[in-house]
Amino acid sequence: AQSVTQPDIHITVSEGASLELRCNYSYGATPYLFWYVQSPGQGLQLLLKYFSGDTLVQGIKGFEAEFKRSQSSFNLRKPSVHWSDAAEYFCAVGNKNTDKLIFGTGTRLQVFP
Amino acid sequence: DAGVTQSPTHLIKTRGQQVTLRCSPKSGHDTVSWYQQALGQGPQFIFQYYEEEERQRGNFPDRFSGHQFPNYSSELNVNALLLGDSALYLCASSLGGGDTEAFFGQGTRLTVV
């Protein structure tokens, strides 16, 4: 069965520190992978996506993610976190045939000044 | 471009009642998907509409039904509401096919009392 695991429910970092949010997936075929961000009371905004090609993907707001097939991972990184990055982050998996997305349970990021 | 719009933003219903949520997709998008996001959870796929037909369905009971109109807008109907139906309901639109970005609306917060 397809699934996405985000092991970290809650992460706290200081402003300016680096960030890595973990995502592991279980998928039978070549996955399409996504990271979304959700601010309180808001919908989801796409940060970045991976379909094929270069395994290091650049996104908006200075985020990047690396697809590692051998580890079934798609971790999200940012070299220097800003206070405005505080939000809930969701990893999701899809495939080439459908727009249906399977989401992880999310990681809540808190940023201290 | 107004993006994906959902209405209403909030509503409160009583157990056993019926509710209709509405979604207008991003301009040019022909596929609409609905997700349920319970508090503290990731979005769960309910179903997807394309060309006015339900194309895929997640693991939700028949109390959840939908419709897509010729202008691609969509409705989500839930009958015989249960307390457990309280959640944020998200609509996403896309061009269809997995290699396109799904754009999400702000969601409708449904509270069942």
Side-chain angles (χ1 to χ4, degrees), chain B residues 60-96:
Chain B
F60 279 80
D62 292 344
R63 297 187 298 109
F64 289 77
S65 63
H67 188 78
Q68 185 178 35
F69 299 92
N71 67 353
Y72 306 122
S73 66
S74 177
E75 289 182 349
L76 164 65
N77 300 292
V78 187
N79 294 322
L81 284 167
L82 304 174
L83 296 179
D85 295 330
S86 295
L88 180 68
Y89 288 85
L90 295 165
C91 170
S93 75
S94 59
L95 282 171

